[in-house]
Amino acid sequence: MTSFSSDFTMTIGGKAVAGASSFAVLNPANEQVVGQAPDCSAEQLDEAVAAARAAFPAWSATPIEKRREALLAIAGVLAANGEELKRLLTSEQGKPHDKAFEDVMGGAFWCQATSGLDLPVHVVEDGPERRGETRRTPLGVVGAIAPWNFPIILAMFKVAPGLLAGNTMVLKPSPFTPLTTLKLGELLRGVLPDGVLNIVSGGDSLGPWMTAHKGIDKISFTGSTATGRKVMASASESLKRVTLELGGNDAAIVLPDVDVAAVAEKLFWAAFTNTGQICVATKRMYVHKDIYEPLKEALVAYAKTVKMGDGAEQGTQLGPIQNHQQYKRVLDLIADAKAKGYSFLMGGEKSEAPGYFIPITILDNPPEDSRIVQEEQFGPVLPLLKFDQVDDAIARANASDYGLGASVWSADSAKALEIGSRLQAGTVWVNETQYITPMGVFGGHKQSGLGAEGAMEGLMEYTNAQTIYVKKAQPIPA
Ligand code: NAD
């Protein structure tokens, strides 16, 4: 097993680059410093963009078969270093080791699966006078901006199609979780041609510098809806292409015919996996009144068996909130619910342990217009909501500016599918949640996003359409 050094450097033009200065990255389980990340200056970002631009002509002209091999090489590096990367990821992100391993290996799988896609050529016409076809050409330099909840796999959602399509890239991880991504950049030096994938880390200015940078042709962003708006506004100055994967407030609708005992555990994990810090976590759970009481009891009973703690400790199932900013946000939502006198089934207290821990918190039927129902909590806090008529549950689920995911739970999957088809969300699941595959289109409706990731549709986001007509030589008159 490799053992990593504790130095973290950016990767620019295939070389290690120290930051102009550095910033501390904390372990959210104990607030101890894990490492110092380079703080990229504006000049260093210029260098990274220049390196990507310099690498673009050769990379875009590289046969797609070779670019496929490059994705497989990234997958190989992730897989070969999975154990070590997982430890580093847990120390900066907080999630349990097995979940950190899934993030790393999920990234490898995404690269491998995406490498099988092809850039299509569509023949428009092919007659005696002319042949016309629409091809896909790369955009140029892509700026990829990733969040802190799944640092590796969500970065690979961008890197894999971006590189396969022939673009070169500058990738920026979240300042809260930059270390594993920086380490991956180090491992990839010499694996990819210099400048094809540059990795930079920095503070709050770096993202806006990227979205405003004249040398970047597209921004692929995953993060909150509030930041997504700023990204789009800034990118509009130079008409950069944007893909925005944003926040969600996913509803689950639970019908009265479910087997309560069997479904409670699945519903628990729908809401609380990754300590609720998943864009497609169930964030509002609408439960039919006939099973509301037994389901609420089963959920609470199961929740009490779940171990929250330091992700590096054996047996931990849920880690802390990833950063202090988000910790404060979730505590503020809980304080609001308390101040309004809403009923808590469990939780609602701040943990006294060091680190950003918030115990599992479940609310008992708070009002529909409460902040905990209307806002994205992105933490271990779930409102259970009672409904009588399915139409009412659908209307409440759809009454949101978000439209990322949704789920319907029933013993009758045909009925659940019919209900699911009426939900305004980019992904709808029946009797499960959070299943996402590289071959399925993933994207948000409404203010949950713009464009998509995954499958051909995701690959197309990294291309321009180019239609070429060739006038054929006319036959020589006899
Ligand atoms: P965030 O918006 O705070 O930050 C995301 C990234 O954007 C970070 O790298 C950050 O440094 C950068 N950034 C911040 N301000 C910027 C600016 N003005 N210009 C450019 N970049 C900027 O989001 P977060 O807190 O890291 O992630 C949580 C949010 O992400 C949640 O809302 C969650 O639902 C959403 N999310 C969405 C998806 C999806 O696929 N739809 C996946 C994961 C997370």
Side-chain angles (χ1 to χ4, degrees), residues 145-149 154 172-175 207-208 211 221-225 227 230-231 245-248 279 283 376 378 404 442 448 453:
I145 301 179
W148 46 257
N149 59 339
L154 293 182
K172 185 194 91 62
S174 165
T211 60
F221 171 84
T222 300
S224 64
T225 295
T227 310
K230 292 185 195 162
V231 169
E245 292 289 354
L246 308 178
C279 53
K283 291 169 185 152
E376 178 185 40
F378 219 62
L404 192 59
F442 178 75
S448 285
E453 294 190 315

PDB file of all heavy atoms in Angstrom, residues 145-149 154 172-175 207-208 211 221-225 227 230-231 245-248 279 283 376 378 404 442 448 453, ligand 1:
ATOM      1  N   ILE A 145     -15.918  22.821 -11.177  1.00  0.00           N
ATOM      2  CA  ILE A 145     -15.973  23.273  -9.770  1.00  0.00           C
ATOM      3  C   ILE A 145     -16.804  22.270  -8.982  1.00  0.00           C
ATOM      4  O   ILE A 145     -17.963  22.016  -9.316  1.00  0.00           O
ATOM      5  CB  ILE A 145     -16.593  24.689  -9.679  1.00  0.00           C
ATOM      6  CG1 ILE A 145     -15.763  25.686 -10.499  1.00  0.00           C
ATOM      7  CG2 ILE A 145     -16.711  25.130  -8.222  1.00  0.00           C
ATOM      8  CD1 ILE A 145     -16.293  27.115 -10.503  1.00  0.00           C
ATOM      9  N   ALA A 146     -16.202  21.676  -7.950  1.00  0.00           N
ATOM     10  CA  ALA A 146     -16.836  20.562  -7.234  1.00  0.00           C
ATOM     11  C   ALA A 146     -17.200  20.955  -5.796  1.00  0.00           C
ATOM     12  O   ALA A 146     -16.585  21.850  -5.218  1.00  0.00           O
ATOM     13  CB  ALA A 146     -15.884  19.359  -7.231  1.00  0.00           C
ATOM     14  N   PRO A 147     -18.169  20.267  -5.215  1.00  0.00           N
ATOM     15  CA  PRO A 147     -18.561  20.536  -3.819  1.00  0.00           C
ATOM     16  C   PRO A 147     -17.836  19.607  -2.840  1.00  0.00           C
ATOM     17  O   PRO A 147     -17.007  18.795  -3.249  1.00  0.00           O
ATOM     18  CB  PRO A 147     -20.064  20.240  -3.844  1.00  0.00           C
ATOM     19  CG  PRO A 147     -20.172  19.090  -4.788  1.00  0.00           C
ATOM     20  CD  PRO A 147     -19.067  19.242  -5.801  1.00  0.00           C
ATOM     21  N   TRP A 148     -18.214  19.690  -1.563  1.00  0.00           N
ATOM     22  CA  TRP A 148     -17.487  18.964  -0.514  1.00  0.00           C
ATOM     23  C   TRP A 148     -18.169  17.671  -0.083  1.00  0.00           C
ATOM     24  O   TRP A 148     -17.625  16.958   0.759  1.00  0.00           O
ATOM     25  CB  TRP A 148     -17.273  19.865   0.707  1.00  0.00           C
ATOM     26  CG  TRP A 148     -18.478  20.653   1.160  1.00  0.00           C
ATOM     27  CD1 TRP A 148     -18.704  21.986   0.947  1.00  0.00           C
ATOM     28  CD2 TRP A 148     -19.614  20.180   1.908  1.00  0.00           C
ATOM     29  NE1 TRP A 148     -19.898  22.369   1.503  1.00  0.00           N
ATOM     30  CE2 TRP A 148     -20.493  21.274   2.098  1.00  0.00           C
ATOM     31  CE3 TRP A 148     -19.990  18.945   2.427  1.00  0.00           C
ATOM     32  CZ2 TRP A 148     -21.699  21.176   2.783  1.00  0.00           C
ATOM     33  CZ3 TRP A 148     -21.198  18.837   3.099  1.00  0.00           C
ATOM     34  CH2 TRP A 148     -22.031  19.941   3.284  1.00  0.00           C
ATOM     35  N   ASN A 149     -19.356  17.367  -0.583  1.00  0.00           N
ATOM     36  CA  ASN A 149     -20.055  16.196  -0.015  1.00  0.00           C
ATOM     37  C   ASN A 149     -19.558  14.872  -0.607  1.00  0.00           C
ATOM     38  O   ASN A 149     -19.468  13.872   0.095  1.00  0.00           O
ATOM     39  CB  ASN A 149     -21.572  16.344  -0.129  1.00  0.00           C
ATOM     40  CG  ASN A 149     -22.061  16.493  -1.539  1.00  0.00           C
ATOM     41  OD1 ASN A 149     -21.300  16.869  -2.442  1.00  0.00           O
ATOM     42  ND2 ASN A 149     -23.320  16.189  -1.782  1.00  0.00           N
ATOM     43  N   LEU A 154     -17.998  13.242  -7.675  1.00  0.00           N
ATOM     44  CA  LEU A 154     -18.634  14.376  -8.366  1.00  0.00           C
ATOM     45  C   LEU A 154     -17.634  15.117  -9.259  1.00  0.00           C
ATOM     46  O   LEU A 154     -18.019  15.691 -10.282  1.00  0.00           O
ATOM     47  CB  LEU A 154     -19.305  15.317  -7.358  1.00  0.00           C
ATOM     48  CG  LEU A 154     -20.509  14.699  -6.640  1.00  0.00           C
ATOM     49  CD1 LEU A 154     -21.156  15.703  -5.679  1.00  0.00           C
ATOM     50  CD2 LEU A 154     -21.559  14.156  -7.611  1.00  0.00           C
ATOM     51  N   LYS A 172     -11.302  22.482  -9.799  1.00  0.00           N
ATOM     52  CA  LYS A 172     -11.172  23.095  -8.467  1.00  0.00           C
ATOM     53  C   LYS A 172     -12.052  22.364  -7.459  1.00  0.00           C
ATOM     54  O   LYS A 172     -13.278  22.403  -7.549  1.00  0.00           O
ATOM     55  CB  LYS A 172     -11.636  24.564  -8.519  1.00  0.00           C
ATOM     56  CG  LYS A 172     -11.409  25.290  -7.199  1.00  0.00           C
ATOM     57  CD  LYS A 172     -12.150  26.604  -7.128  1.00  0.00           C
ATOM     58  CE  LYS A 172     -13.521  26.479  -6.531  1.00  0.00           C
ATOM     59  NZ  LYS A 172     -13.554  26.019  -5.139  1.00  0.00           N
ATOM     60  N   PRO A 173     -11.451  21.684  -6.470  1.00  0.00           N
ATOM     61  CA  PRO A 173     -12.267  21.108  -5.397  1.00  0.00           C
ATOM     62  C   PRO A 173     -12.743  22.187  -4.433  1.00  0.00           C
ATOM     63  O   PRO A 173     -12.265  23.320  -4.483  1.00  0.00           O
ATOM     64  CB  PRO A 173     -11.294  20.151  -4.701  1.00  0.00           C
ATOM     65  CG  PRO A 173      -9.938  20.719  -4.969  1.00  0.00           C
ATOM     66  CD  PRO A 173     -10.011  21.437  -6.300  1.00  0.00           C
ATOM     67  N   SER A 174     -13.663  21.817  -3.553  1.00  0.00           N
ATOM     68  CA  SER A 174     -14.118  22.742  -2.510  1.00  0.00           C
ATOM     69  C   SER A 174     -12.961  23.059  -1.565  1.00  0.00           C
ATOM     70  O   SER A 174     -12.159  22.175  -1.241  1.00  0.00           O
ATOM     71  CB  SER A 174     -15.266  22.102  -1.726  1.00  0.00           C
ATOM     72  OG  SER A 174     -15.483  22.820  -0.532  1.00  0.00           O
ATOM     73  N   PRO A 175     -12.883  24.292  -1.066  1.00  0.00           N
ATOM     74  CA  PRO A 175     -11.830  24.605  -0.084  1.00  0.00           C
ATOM     75  C   PRO A 175     -11.972  23.795   1.206  1.00  0.00           C
ATOM     76  O   PRO A 175     -11.026  23.676   1.979  1.00  0.00           O
ATOM     77  CB  PRO A 175     -12.016  26.102   0.191  1.00  0.00           C
ATOM     78  CG  PRO A 175     -13.329  26.478  -0.380  1.00  0.00           C
ATOM     79  CD  PRO A 175     -13.702  25.461  -1.408  1.00  0.00           C
ATOM     80  N   GLY A 207     -13.143  30.418  -7.221  1.00  0.00           N
ATOM     81  CA  GLY A 207     -14.294  30.055  -8.062  1.00  0.00           C
ATOM     82  C   GLY A 207     -14.730  31.220  -8.941  1.00  0.00           C
ATOM     83  O   GLY A 207     -14.844  31.076 -10.174  1.00  0.00           O
ATOM     84  N   PRO A 208     -14.973  32.403  -8.335  1.00  0.00           N
ATOM     85  CA  PRO A 208     -15.343  33.558  -9.163  1.00  0.00           C
ATOM     86  C   PRO A 208     -14.283  33.924 -10.204  1.00  0.00           C
ATOM     87  O   PRO A 208     -14.626  34.344 -11.316  1.00  0.00           O
ATOM     88  CB  PRO A 208     -15.528  34.681  -8.133  1.00  0.00           C
ATOM     89  CG  PRO A 208     -15.923  33.968  -6.874  1.00  0.00           C
ATOM     90  CD  PRO A 208     -15.169  32.661  -6.896  1.00  0.00           C
ATOM     91  N   THR A 211     -14.966  31.527 -13.076  1.00  0.00           N
ATOM     92  CA  THR A 211     -16.180  31.776 -13.878  1.00  0.00           C
ATOM     93  C   THR A 211     -16.025  33.032 -14.739  1.00  0.00           C
ATOM     94  O   THR A 211     -16.685  33.161 -15.761  1.00  0.00           O
ATOM     95  CB  THR A 211     -17.430  31.899 -12.982  1.00  0.00           C
ATOM     96  OG1 THR A 211     -17.252  32.978 -12.068  1.00  0.00           O
ATOM     97  CG2 THR A 211     -17.703  30.624 -12.222  1.00  0.00           C
ATOM     98  N   PHE A 221     -20.380  23.042 -12.995  1.00  0.00           N
ATOM     99  CA  PHE A 221     -20.446  23.376 -11.568  1.00  0.00           C
ATOM    100  C   PHE A 221     -21.387  22.450 -10.819  1.00  0.00           C
ATOM    101  O   PHE A 221     -22.505  22.194 -11.278  1.00  0.00           O
ATOM    102  CB  PHE A 221     -20.938  24.829 -11.432  1.00  0.00           C
ATOM    103  CG  PHE A 221     -21.261  25.237 -10.021  1.00  0.00           C
ATOM    104  CD1 PHE A 221     -20.262  25.671  -9.165  1.00  0.00           C
ATOM    105  CD2 PHE A 221     -22.569  25.183  -9.544  1.00  0.00           C
ATOM    106  CE1 PHE A 221     -20.556  26.039  -7.849  1.00  0.00           C
ATOM    107  CE2 PHE A 221     -22.866  25.547  -8.237  1.00  0.00           C
ATOM    108  CZ  PHE A 221     -21.860  25.975  -7.389  1.00  0.00           C
ATOM    109  N   THR A 222     -20.968  21.965  -9.669  1.00  0.00           N
ATOM    110  CA  THR A 222     -21.883  21.286  -8.746  1.00  0.00           C
ATOM    111  C   THR A 222     -21.797  21.988  -7.409  1.00  0.00           C
ATOM    112  O   THR A 222     -20.709  22.142  -6.845  1.00  0.00           O
ATOM    113  CB  THR A 222     -21.525  19.798  -8.584  1.00  0.00           C
ATOM    114  OG1 THR A 222     -21.600  19.173  -9.861  1.00  0.00           O
ATOM    115  CG2 THR A 222     -22.499  19.093  -7.650  1.00  0.00           C
ATOM    116  N   GLY A 223     -22.946  22.411  -6.907  1.00  0.00           N
ATOM    117  CA  GLY A 223     -22.981  23.105  -5.621  1.00  0.00           C
ATOM    118  C   GLY A 223     -24.387  23.609  -5.355  1.00  0.00           C
ATOM    119  O   GLY A 223     -25.363  23.091  -5.910  1.00  0.00           O
ATOM    120  N   SER A 224     -24.475  24.630  -4.559  1.00  0.00           N
ATOM    121  CA  SER A 224     -25.793  25.111  -4.144  1.00  0.00           C
ATOM    122  C   SER A 224     -26.456  25.945  -5.241  1.00  0.00           C
ATOM    123  O   SER A 224     -25.783  26.502  -6.119  1.00  0.00           O
ATOM    124  CB  SER A 224     -25.665  25.942  -2.877  1.00  0.00           C
ATOM    125  OG  SER A 224     -24.899  27.091  -3.154  1.00  0.00           O
ATOM    126  N   THR A 225     -27.763  26.065  -5.141  1.00  0.00           N
ATOM    127  CA  THR A 225     -28.510  26.869  -6.117  1.00  0.00           C
ATOM    128  C   THR A 225     -28.100  28.336  -6.017  1.00  0.00           C
ATOM    129  O   THR A 225     -27.954  29.024  -7.040  1.00  0.00           O
ATOM    130  CB  THR A 225     -30.022  26.680  -5.883  1.00  0.00           C
ATOM    131  OG1 THR A 225     -30.335  25.303  -6.162  1.00  0.00           O
ATOM    132  CG2 THR A 225     -30.854  27.572  -6.790  1.00  0.00           C
ATOM    133  N   THR A 227     -25.185  29.604  -5.219  1.00  0.00           N
ATOM    134  CA  THR A 227     -23.910  29.812  -5.920  1.00  0.00           C
ATOM    135  C   THR A 227     -24.097  29.603  -7.423  1.00  0.00           C
ATOM    136  O   THR A 227     -23.483  30.312  -8.231  1.00  0.00           O
ATOM    137  CB  THR A 227     -22.821  28.857  -5.381  1.00  0.00           C
ATOM    138  OG1 THR A 227     -22.793  28.951  -3.964  1.00  0.00           O
ATOM    139  CG2 THR A 227     -21.456  29.208  -5.922  1.00  0.00           C
ATOM    140  N   LYS A 230     -24.873  32.711  -9.173  1.00  0.00           N
ATOM    141  CA  LYS A 230     -23.701  33.591  -9.347  1.00  0.00           C
ATOM    142  C   LYS A 230     -22.816  33.077 -10.474  1.00  0.00           C
ATOM    143  O   LYS A 230     -22.271  33.857 -11.258  1.00  0.00           O
ATOM    144  CB  LYS A 230     -22.884  33.632  -8.044  1.00  0.00           C
ATOM    145  CG  LYS A 230     -23.584  34.318  -6.904  1.00  0.00           C
ATOM    146  CD  LYS A 230     -22.638  34.393  -5.720  1.00  0.00           C
ATOM    147  CE  LYS A 230     -23.409  34.735  -4.449  1.00  0.00           C
ATOM    148  NZ  LYS A 230     -22.692  34.427  -3.240  1.00  0.00           N
ATOM    149  N   VAL A 231     -22.677  31.764 -10.556  1.00  0.00           N
ATOM    150  CA  VAL A 231     -21.843  31.164 -11.613  1.00  0.00           C
ATOM    151  C   VAL A 231     -22.415  31.528 -12.976  1.00  0.00           C
ATOM    152  O   VAL A 231     -21.699  31.965 -13.893  1.00  0.00           O
ATOM    153  CB  VAL A 231     -21.774  29.631 -11.439  1.00  0.00           C
ATOM    154  CG1 VAL A 231     -21.161  28.951 -12.659  1.00  0.00           C
ATOM    155  CG2 VAL A 231     -20.978  29.276 -10.180  1.00  0.00           C
ATOM    156  N   GLU A 245     -25.275  21.670 -11.642  1.00  0.00           N
ATOM    157  CA  GLU A 245     -25.921  20.620 -10.831  1.00  0.00           C
ATOM    158  C   GLU A 245     -26.093  21.210  -9.446  1.00  0.00           C
ATOM    159  O   GLU A 245     -25.124  21.389  -8.718  1.00  0.00           O
ATOM    160  CB  GLU A 245     -25.036  19.368 -10.789  1.00  0.00           C
ATOM    161  CG  GLU A 245     -24.905  18.651 -12.122  1.00  0.00           C
ATOM    162  CD  GLU A 245     -26.185  17.944 -12.557  1.00  0.00           C
ATOM    163  OE1 GLU A 245     -27.169  17.896 -11.790  1.00  0.00           O
ATOM    164  OE2 GLU A 245     -26.206  17.438 -13.698  1.00  0.00           O
ATOM    165  N   LEU A 246     -27.334  21.515  -9.071  1.00  0.00           N
ATOM    166  CA  LEU A 246     -27.554  22.366  -7.893  1.00  0.00           C
ATOM    167  C   LEU A 246     -28.311  21.641  -6.780  1.00  0.00           C
ATOM    168  O   LEU A 246     -28.382  20.417  -6.758  1.00  0.00           O
ATOM    169  CB  LEU A 246     -28.273  23.644  -8.350  1.00  0.00           C
ATOM    170  CG  LEU A 246     -27.585  24.373  -9.520  1.00  0.00           C
ATOM    171  CD1 LEU A 246     -28.366  25.597  -9.948  1.00  0.00           C
ATOM    172  CD2 LEU A 246     -26.148  24.762  -9.160  1.00  0.00           C
ATOM    173  N   GLY A 247     -28.879  22.427  -5.893  1.00  0.00           N
ATOM    174  CA  GLY A 247     -29.504  21.851  -4.703  1.00  0.00           C
ATOM    175  C   GLY A 247     -30.823  21.162  -4.989  1.00  0.00           C
ATOM    176  O   GLY A 247     -31.357  21.204  -6.098  1.00  0.00           O
ATOM    177  N   GLY A 248     -31.335  20.516  -3.944  1.00  0.00           N
ATOM    178  CA  GLY A 248     -32.610  19.816  -4.070  1.00  0.00           C
ATOM    179  C   GLY A 248     -33.354  19.826  -2.755  1.00  0.00           C
ATOM    180  O   GLY A 248     -32.787  20.131  -1.703  1.00  0.00           O
ATOM    181  N   CYS A 279     -27.200  15.671  -2.410  1.00  0.00           N
ATOM    182  CA  CYS A 279     -28.146  16.508  -3.166  1.00  0.00           C
ATOM    183  C   CYS A 279     -29.479  15.787  -3.312  1.00  0.00           C
ATOM    184  O   CYS A 279     -30.529  16.410  -3.233  1.00  0.00           O
ATOM    185  CB  CYS A 279     -27.556  16.887  -4.520  1.00  0.00           C
ATOM    186  SG  CYS A 279     -26.986  15.486  -5.485  1.00  0.00           S
ATOM    187  N   LYS A 283     -35.490  14.853   1.681  1.00  0.00           N
ATOM    188  CA  LYS A 283     -35.431  15.995   2.606  1.00  0.00           C
ATOM    189  C   LYS A 283     -36.805  16.355   3.165  1.00  0.00           C
ATOM    190  O   LYS A 283     -36.918  17.187   4.064  1.00  0.00           O
ATOM    191  CB  LYS A 283     -34.768  17.178   1.902  1.00  0.00           C
ATOM    192  CG  LYS A 283     -33.274  16.893   1.651  1.00  0.00           C
ATOM    193  CD  LYS A 283     -32.574  17.860   0.744  1.00  0.00           C
ATOM    194  CE  LYS A 283     -31.152  17.369   0.504  1.00  0.00           C
ATOM    195  NZ  LYS A 283     -30.589  17.779  -0.748  1.00  0.00           N
ATOM    196  N   GLU A 376     -33.641  23.597   1.809  1.00  0.00           N
ATOM    197  CA  GLU A 376     -32.778  22.405   1.759  1.00  0.00           C
ATOM    198  C   GLU A 376     -31.925  22.382   3.020  1.00  0.00           C
ATOM    199  O   GLU A 376     -31.080  23.245   3.222  1.00  0.00           O
ATOM    200  CB  GLU A 376     -31.867  22.464   0.528  1.00  0.00           C
ATOM    201  CG  GLU A 376     -30.941  21.275   0.466  1.00  0.00           C
ATOM    202  CD  GLU A 376     -29.924  21.330  -0.669  1.00  0.00           C
ATOM    203  OE1 GLU A 376     -29.374  22.404  -0.952  1.00  0.00           O
ATOM    204  OE2 GLU A 376     -29.674  20.263  -1.258  1.00  0.00           O
ATOM    205  N   PHE A 378     -29.741  19.831   4.111  1.00  0.00           N
ATOM    206  CA  PHE A 378     -28.405  19.277   3.850  1.00  0.00           C
ATOM    207  C   PHE A 378     -27.714  18.897   5.154  1.00  0.00           C
ATOM    208  O   PHE A 378     -26.591  19.292   5.440  1.00  0.00           O
ATOM    209  CB  PHE A 378     -27.573  20.283   3.046  1.00  0.00           C
ATOM    210  CG  PHE A 378     -26.709  19.641   1.999  1.00  0.00           C
ATOM    211  CD1 PHE A 378     -27.264  18.925   0.964  1.00  0.00           C
ATOM    212  CD2 PHE A 378     -25.321  19.763   2.044  1.00  0.00           C
ATOM    213  CE1 PHE A 378     -26.464  18.326  -0.002  1.00  0.00           C
ATOM    214  CE2 PHE A 378     -24.518  19.166   1.089  1.00  0.00           C
ATOM    215  CZ  PHE A 378     -25.101  18.451   0.069  1.00  0.00           C
ATOM    216  N   LEU A 404     -34.950  18.243  -8.119  1.00  0.00           N
ATOM    217  CA  LEU A 404     -33.808  17.363  -8.395  1.00  0.00           C
ATOM    218  C   LEU A 404     -34.230  15.895  -8.426  1.00  0.00           C
ATOM    219  O   LEU A 404     -34.141  15.231  -9.453  1.00  0.00           O
ATOM    220  CB  LEU A 404     -32.707  17.595  -7.354  1.00  0.00           C
ATOM    221  CG  LEU A 404     -31.357  16.974  -7.684  1.00  0.00           C
ATOM    222  CD1 LEU A 404     -30.805  17.498  -8.990  1.00  0.00           C
ATOM    223  CD2 LEU A 404     -30.353  17.230  -6.559  1.00  0.00           C
ATOM    224  N   PHE A 442     -28.661  12.463 -15.527  1.00  0.00           N
ATOM    225  CA  PHE A 442     -28.902  12.994 -14.188  1.00  0.00           C
ATOM    226  C   PHE A 442     -28.845  14.515 -14.248  1.00  0.00           C
ATOM    227  O   PHE A 442     -27.845  15.089 -14.668  1.00  0.00           O
ATOM    228  CB  PHE A 442     -27.841  12.471 -13.213  1.00  0.00           C
ATOM    229  CG  PHE A 442     -27.995  13.016 -11.821  1.00  0.00           C
ATOM    230  CD1 PHE A 442     -29.000  12.550 -10.993  1.00  0.00           C
ATOM    231  CD2 PHE A 442     -27.154  14.009 -11.346  1.00  0.00           C
ATOM    232  CE1 PHE A 442     -29.161  13.064  -9.712  1.00  0.00           C
ATOM    233  CE2 PHE A 442     -27.304  14.521 -10.067  1.00  0.00           C
ATOM    234  CZ  PHE A 442     -28.308  14.049  -9.247  1.00  0.00           C
ATOM    235  N   SER A 448     -33.047  23.366  -9.683  1.00  0.00           N
ATOM    236  CA  SER A 448     -32.051  22.367  -9.268  1.00  0.00           C
ATOM    237  C   SER A 448     -30.961  22.184 -10.315  1.00  0.00           C
ATOM    238  O   SER A 448     -30.050  21.362 -10.105  1.00  0.00           O
ATOM    239  CB  SER A 448     -32.723  21.024  -8.970  1.00  0.00           C
ATOM    240  OG  SER A 448     -33.393  21.086  -7.736  1.00  0.00           O
ATOM    241  N   GLU A 453     -25.721  15.583 -16.306  1.00  0.00           N
ATOM    242  CA  GLU A 453     -24.510  14.770 -16.294  1.00  0.00           C
ATOM    243  C   GLU A 453     -24.920  13.329 -16.560  1.00  0.00           C
ATOM    244  O   GLU A 453     -26.086  12.954 -16.395  1.00  0.00           O
ATOM    245  CB  GLU A 453     -23.792  14.905 -14.946  1.00  0.00           C
ATOM    246  CG  GLU A 453     -23.275  16.316 -14.755  1.00  0.00           C
ATOM    247  CD  GLU A 453     -22.346  16.530 -13.575  1.00  0.00           C
ATOM    248  OE1 GLU A 453     -22.661  16.030 -12.486  1.00  0.00           O
ATOM    249  OE2 GLU A 453     -21.331  17.215 -13.749  1.00  0.00           O
TER     250      GLU A 453
HETATM  251  P1  NAD B   1     -21.350  25.694  -2.715  1.00  0.00           P
HETATM  252  O1  NAD B   1     -22.229  26.260  -3.747  1.00  0.00           O
HETATM  253  O2  NAD B   1     -21.114  26.469  -1.460  1.00  0.00           O
HETATM  254  O3  NAD B   1     -19.898  25.414  -3.308  1.00  0.00           O
HETATM  255  C1  NAD B   1     -19.670  24.561  -4.408  1.00  0.00           C
HETATM  256  C2  NAD B   1     -18.360  24.932  -5.062  1.00  0.00           C
HETATM  257  O4  NAD B   1     -18.467  26.240  -5.606  1.00  0.00           O
HETATM  258  C3  NAD B   1     -17.147  24.973  -4.124  1.00  0.00           C
HETATM  259  O5  NAD B   1     -16.029  24.457  -4.827  1.00  0.00           O
HETATM  260  C4  NAD B   1     -16.986  26.447  -3.863  1.00  0.00           C
HETATM  261  O6  NAD B   1     -15.664  26.813  -3.522  1.00  0.00           O
HETATM  262  C5  NAD B   1     -17.376  27.045  -5.194  1.00  0.00           C
HETATM  263  N1  NAD B   1     -17.869  28.433  -5.154  1.00  0.00           N
HETATM  264  C6  NAD B   1     -18.376  29.105  -4.098  1.00  0.00           C
HETATM  265  N2  NAD B   1     -18.756  30.343  -4.495  1.00  0.00           N
HETATM  266  C7  NAD B   1     -18.482  30.441  -5.816  1.00  0.00           C
HETATM  267  C8  NAD B   1     -18.668  31.466  -6.794  1.00  0.00           C
HETATM  268  N3  NAD B   1     -19.217  32.643  -6.485  1.00  0.00           N
HETATM  269  N4  NAD B   1     -18.287  31.218  -8.064  1.00  0.00           N
HETATM  270  C9  NAD B   1     -17.768  30.011  -8.400  1.00  0.00           C
HETATM  271  N5  NAD B   1     -17.557  29.004  -7.518  1.00  0.00           N
HETATM  272  C10 NAD B   1     -17.912  29.218  -6.239  1.00  0.00           C
HETATM  273  O7  NAD B   1     -21.928  24.241  -2.420  1.00  0.00           O
HETATM  274  P2  NAD B   1     -21.453  23.209  -1.327  1.00  0.00           P
HETATM  275  O8  NAD B   1     -21.874  23.766   0.015  1.00  0.00           O
HETATM  276  O9  NAD B   1     -20.037  22.831  -1.563  1.00  0.00           O
HETATM  277  O10 NAD B   1     -22.344  21.926  -1.700  1.00  0.00           O
HETATM  278  C11 NAD B   1     -23.617  21.729  -1.180  1.00  0.00           C
HETATM  279  C12 NAD B   1     -24.668  22.071  -2.211  1.00  0.00           C
HETATM  280  O11 NAD B   1     -24.387  21.390  -3.425  1.00  0.00           O
HETATM  281  C13 NAD B   1     -26.061  21.603  -1.811  1.00  0.00           C
HETATM  282  O12 NAD B   1     -27.009  22.581  -2.162  1.00  0.00           O
HETATM  283  C14 NAD B   1     -26.270  20.348  -2.655  1.00  0.00           C
HETATM  284  O13 NAD B   1     -27.621  20.004  -2.868  1.00  0.00           O
HETATM  285  C15 NAD B   1     -25.555  20.717  -3.898  1.00  0.00           C
HETATM  286  N6  NAD B   1     -25.166  19.522  -4.638  1.00  0.00           N
HETATM  287  C16 NAD B   1     -25.765  19.270  -5.835  1.00  0.00           C
HETATM  288  C17 NAD B   1     -25.453  18.124  -6.534  1.00  0.00           C
HETATM  289  C18 NAD B   1     -26.103  17.803  -7.852  1.00  0.00           C
HETATM  290  O14 NAD B   1     -25.581  16.970  -8.568  1.00  0.00           O
HETATM  291  N7  NAD B   1     -27.205  18.428  -8.212  1.00  0.00           N
HETATM  292  C19 NAD B   1     -24.505  17.233  -6.025  1.00  0.00           C
HETATM  293  C20 NAD B   1     -23.911  17.529  -4.811  1.00  0.00           C
HETATM  294  C21 NAD B   1     -24.233  18.682  -4.126  1.00  0.00           C
END
